[in-house]
């Protein structure tokens, strides 16, 4: 059985106080309302990781992710945060290759591969994000585009490294736009991703890989999307900033 995950990506939102109150609300709701078989992850901005980790460490139901990691080990990289630093404050997962980082910070495939390597070396689990822009979908090249993203970064991992990663399919046209992929569009892309992964690694490893959907997921559409065979959960942006909405999404399984 592969792991079901719902991860909230807070992006650049919340102050210290707001972050703590959001995570404690989520913690309480998840404790009371959510089945044990879903792994719930929160992804606050860097400055709040350590305080949030007081609630997630030793907590079976709530886990901590960072939004980014440096590909470098340590040294003169002003503004960067290393995998060892993240590990030392209790982070377990890290987003790699979110479309906003690819676009605004020009992170290319090679860098994303190196970021995954750095994370894995320190025992962090990368959540590798992929997804096509609208022009690629309109031109019917979305499968090819996402396949290439996997090939350019993920395919270079070893089998053991691949076992540690999570994939998030996030069509760029659906992120923060209120325009979700239909459950059918999500399913067909997830099945395609799994097929590509089975060619790069092996069928069993690909079968066991958790593949999340992201892009305007909300309490109203999560159930239908999560019901699809190859959709193993979600990466939630906007709706993860409200504890009630986020918990309702988690309960959609
Ligand atoms: P959204 O963001 O849910 O606000 O569309 C998803 C994401 O970017 O991870």
């Amino acid at each position: 059985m592969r792991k079901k995950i719902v991860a909230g990506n807070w992006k650049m939102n919340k102050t210290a106080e707001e972050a703590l109150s959001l995570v404690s609300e989520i913690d309480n709701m998840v404790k009371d309302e959510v089945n044990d078989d879903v792994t719930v992850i929160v992804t606050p901005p860097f400055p709040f990781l350590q305080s949030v980790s007081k609630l997630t460490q030793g907590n079976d139901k709530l886990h901590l992710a960072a939004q980014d990691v440096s590909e470098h080990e340590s040294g003169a990289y002003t503004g960067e945060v290393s995998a060892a630093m993240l590990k030392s404050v209790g982070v377990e997962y890290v987003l790699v290759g979110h479309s906003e980082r690819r676009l605004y910070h020009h992170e290319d495939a090679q860098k994303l591969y190196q970021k995954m390597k750095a994370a894995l070396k320190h025992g962090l689990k990368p959540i590798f994000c992929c997804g096509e822009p609208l022009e690629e979908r309109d031109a019917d090249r979305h499968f090819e585009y996402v396949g290439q993203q996997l090939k350019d970064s993920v395919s270079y991992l070893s089998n053991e490294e691949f076992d540690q990663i999570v994939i998030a399919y996030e069509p760029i046209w659906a992120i923060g736009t209120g325009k979700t992929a239909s459950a059918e569009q999500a399913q067909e892309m997830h099945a395609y991703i799994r097929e590509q992964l089975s060619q790069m690694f092996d069928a069993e490893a690909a079968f066991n890989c958790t593949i999340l959907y992201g892009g305007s997921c909300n309490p109203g559409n999560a159930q239908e999307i999560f019901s699809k065979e190859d959709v193993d959960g979600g990466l939630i942006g906007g709706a993860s900033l409200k504890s009630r909405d986020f918990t309702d999404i988690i309960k959609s399984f």
Side-chain angles (χ1 to χ4, degrees):
M1 270 281 279
R2 53 183 177 254
K3 210 184 230 181
K4 293 176 182 172
I5 296 179
V6 178
N9 175 12
W10 297 4
K11 307 193 181 184
M12 199 174 74
N13 291 294
K14 305 288 175 190
T15 60
E17 205 179 314
E18 290 165 353
L20 270 186
S21 69
L22 175 60
V23 78
S24 43
E25 282 168 28
I26 293 171
D27 186 38
N28 287 330
M29 288 183 186
V30 164
K31 248 185 225 141
D32 293 346
E33 305 174 31
V34 172
N35 294 334
D36 283 345
D37 63 345
V38 186
T39 298
V40 180
I41 301 176
V42 288
T43 315
F46 286 136
F48 315 139
L49 287 171
Q50 190 161 20
S51 54
V52 169
S53 84
K54 295 200 173 74
L55 274 178
T56 57
Q57 273 181 332
N59 185 336
D60 291 344
K61 292 193 142 187
L62 195 59
H63 300 263
L64 186 62
Q67 296 178 17
D68 185 33
V69 62
S70 172
E71 67 274 32
H72 301 292
E73 197 53 39
S74 66
Y77 300 101
T78 304
E80 293 289 283
V81 175
S82 74
M85 292 172 187
L86 296 176
K87 186 74 187 173
S88 73
V89 295
V91 171
E92 292 173 71
Y93 294 85
V94 62
L95 302 183
V96 173
H98 191 281
S99 60
E100 287 150 17
R101 297 222 48 102
R102 291 181 191 255
L103 183 66
Y104 306 137
H105 300 271
H106 311 289
E107 294 188 359
D108 62 16
Q110 172 70 8
K111 192 188 265 270
L112 302 181
Y113 167 69
Q114 289 167 346
K115 283 178 182 242
M116 284 193 284
K117 290 290 279 188
L120 288 160
K121 185 175 167 202
H122 291 277
L124 299 173
K125 297 183 175 79
I127 301 175
F128 178 81
C129 305
C130 55
E132 79 287 355
L134 187 60
E135 346 36 297
E136 298 295 330
R137 179 154 290 262
D138 285 346
D140 209 18
R141 284 194 304 256
H142 42 294
F143 291 117
E144 211 180 316
Y145 187 91
V146 171
Q148 195 64 43
Q149 286 181 318
L150 296 171
K151 205 166 163 203
D152 290 345
S153 302
V154 175
S155 72
Y156 298 105
L157 298 175
S158 69
N159 289 341
E160 293 68 34
E161 288 170 334
F162 173 66
D163 287 344
Q164 300 302 312
I165 78 164
V166 172
I167 304 283
Y169 168 58
E170 301 202 300
I172 297 172
W173 46 271
I175 297 178
T177 57
K179 206 175 149 195
T180 331
S182 67
E184 289 67 32
Q185 286 172 323
Q187 167 55 28
E188 63 175 5
M189 182 59 87
H190 283 224
Y192 172 81
I193 290 172
R194 209 177 292 289
E195 172 56 30
Q196 296 300 300
L197 295 172
S198 76
Q199 287 171 25
M200 291 168 198
F201 301 95
D202 66 60
E204 197 189 336
F207 180 81
N208 289 327
C209 180
T210 296
I211 307 179
L212 309 179
Y213 168 78
S216 299
C217 220
N218 62 44
N221 59 30
Q223 189 165 20
E224 199 189 345
I225 297 173
F226 293 177
S227 72
K228 294 295 178 187
E229 195 184 333
D230 287 289
V231 179
D232 309 311
L235 180 55
I236 320 300
S240 75
L241 297 171
K242 294 190 191 116
S243 52
R244 182 72 268 157
D245 285 358
F246 186 53
T247 309
D248 286 346
I249 291 174
I250 303 164
K251 285 162 68 183
S252 304
F253 267 121

